[in-house]
Amino acid sequence: MTEVTRDAIRAAATLIRPHVRHTPVLDVDLADFGRPAHPVTLKLECLQHSGSFKVRGAFTSLLTRDVPDAGVVAASGGNHGAAVAYAAARLGIPATVFVPSVTSSAKADRIRGYGAKLVVGGDRYADALAASEEFVAGTGAMTVHAYDQPETLIGQGTLGAEIAQDRPDIDTLLVAVGGGGLIGGIAAWFRGDVKVVAVEPEGAPTLHRALAAGVPVDAPTEGIAADSLAPRQVGRHMFPLAQQFVAESVLVTDDAIAAAQLSLWETARVVAEPGGAAALSALLSGTYVPEPGERVAVLVCGANTTAVRF
């Protein structure tokens, strides 16, 4: 099994550099959002190719594994599917993506637009995953897992390395959590050098419940961000990393996520989907209150939404 180490993340960062953007950071103040004044850095990974951080793991997987003639298959709430479709198109690889019915039209349109075959399989991510596994058994296509695969974790970890390069002096980083591939990779990079805080919707407390139980367990899969932050369980590969290197997990309401999504647009003209705004919602709702002098960064991780139409 490939180990999720800093050396592996460094190597992946070099490998995928021609294919991904070094996304910008934006310095804001919580006073601009109606909260007590406190400087905050936003890492705008929402500006990444395909609209989210997911291309990092997708390219890492496709460039480090032997892809069969049958191509690749992914199960996704939308963002991972768009990333795999984008990466496969760039590399000339056939791709099939299974999504649940809750996937937003913005994400489904992106997947089709990149040339992948889109299949709706069930109502939730777990249903789409099961359908994709049947497809693999029948075709021999290679699975690119959304979060529970070492290559995926290593690829997402390159975002941690990039944040460390952008802001080497931060104390705390807030990260939204679904299956845990993103926070697992980031935690593997920082390894406790930065306080990594997991932010999850109350309707999908996947990592929160796993940390309390000491093992991945089933959690609800509901809420405004169900198409990106609501798998049934966190990944088995990321969980030991979370246990060791994630400092705490906080839960936010759907209303708080929606308010953060709107505030990002109205205050900073940054477009984010609900899952992409979830980490900031912990600050804007007062669920996470930074200490005086605490240097905080927030990851805005996705922008595939129809909330803003032109």
Side-chain angles (χ1 to χ4, degrees):
M1 183 185 299
T2 304
E3 286 193 68
V4 186
T5 64
R6 277 183 176 171
D7 285 344
I9 292 168
R10 286 191 190 98
T14 299
L15 180 66
I16 69 175
R17 175 50 51 205
H19 304 288
V20 302
R21 293 177 178 139
H22 186 131
T23 52
V25 295
L26 175 66
D27 293 321
V28 298
D29 197 288
L30 291 183
D32 298 334
F33 297 87
R35 296 291 301 172
H38 196 103
V40 172
T41 295
L42 304 180
K43 174 63 170 174
L44 301 181
E45 188 67 5
C46 51
L47 302 180
Q48 187 56 262
H49 291 299
S50 81
S52 83
F53 68 93
K54 293 281 191 175
V55 291
R56 296 174 182 269
F59 273 113
T60 300
S61 193
L62 297 187
L63 291 171
T64 59
R65 301 167 66 200
D66 294 327
V67 180
D69 292 340
V72 296
V73 62
S76 170
N79 283 341
H80 175 63
V84 170
Y86 175 82
R90 285 283 299 264
L91 299 174
I93 296 169
T96 303
V97 178
F98 288 78
V99 299
S101 60
V102 296
T103 295
S104 73
S105 59
K107 296 176 182 180
D109 289 346
R110 271 194 177 269
I111 293 167
R112 292 191 188 97
Y114 293 136
K117 180 181 178 182
L118 181 73
V119 182
V120 178
D123 294 329
R124 289 291 185 265
Y125 170 77
D127 304 320
L129 179 61
S132 75
E133 290 168 346
E134 290 182 12
F135 181 84
V136 169
T139 64
M142 185 182 84
T143 298
V144 183
H145 200 282
Y147 55 87
D148 199 16
Q149 198 168 59
E151 293 84 2
T152 300
L153 286 161
I154 290 167
Q156 318 311 22
T158 66
L159 183 49
E162 196 168 290
I163 292 169
Q165 180 182 348
D166 293 336
R167 289 292 187 271
D169 60 344
I170 62 168
D171 301 310
T172 302
L173 176 64
L174 274 66
V175 183
V177 178
L182 176 60
I183 200 169
I186 286 174
W189 174 262
F190 284 113
R191 307 190 77 80
D193 290 345
V194 163
K195 180 182 179 182
V196 177
V197 177
V199 182
E200 297 178 276
E202 288 184 350
T206 320
L207 180 58
H208 196 82
R209 288 199 177 182
L211 291 171
V215 65
V217 293
D218 285 356
T221 57
E222 304 300 331
I224 192 174
D227 66 342
S228 60
L229 303 182
R232 188 167 292 159
Q233 292 188 4
V234 292
R236 299 276 168 171
H237 289 104
M238 69 76 62
F239 186 62
L241 294 165
Q243 284 183 300
Q244 192 170 1
F245 300 123
V246 172
E248 63 180 283
S249 169
V250 300
L251 301 180
V252 291
T253 66
D254 278 0
D255 287 347
I257 294 172
Q261 187 184 19
L262 180 61
S263 291
L264 266 173
W265 173 245
E266 291 189 336
T267 304
R269 278 302 186 256
V270 171
V271 176
E273 64 189 87
L280 181 62
S281 76
L283 285 174
L284 300 190
S285 65
T287 303
Y288 183 85
V289 180
E291 298 291 333
E294 184 179 355
R295 294 163 297 190
V296 179
V298 175
L299 182 53
V300 183
C301 58
N304 288 320
T305 177
T306 57
V308 178
R309 289 187 179 274
F310 299 103

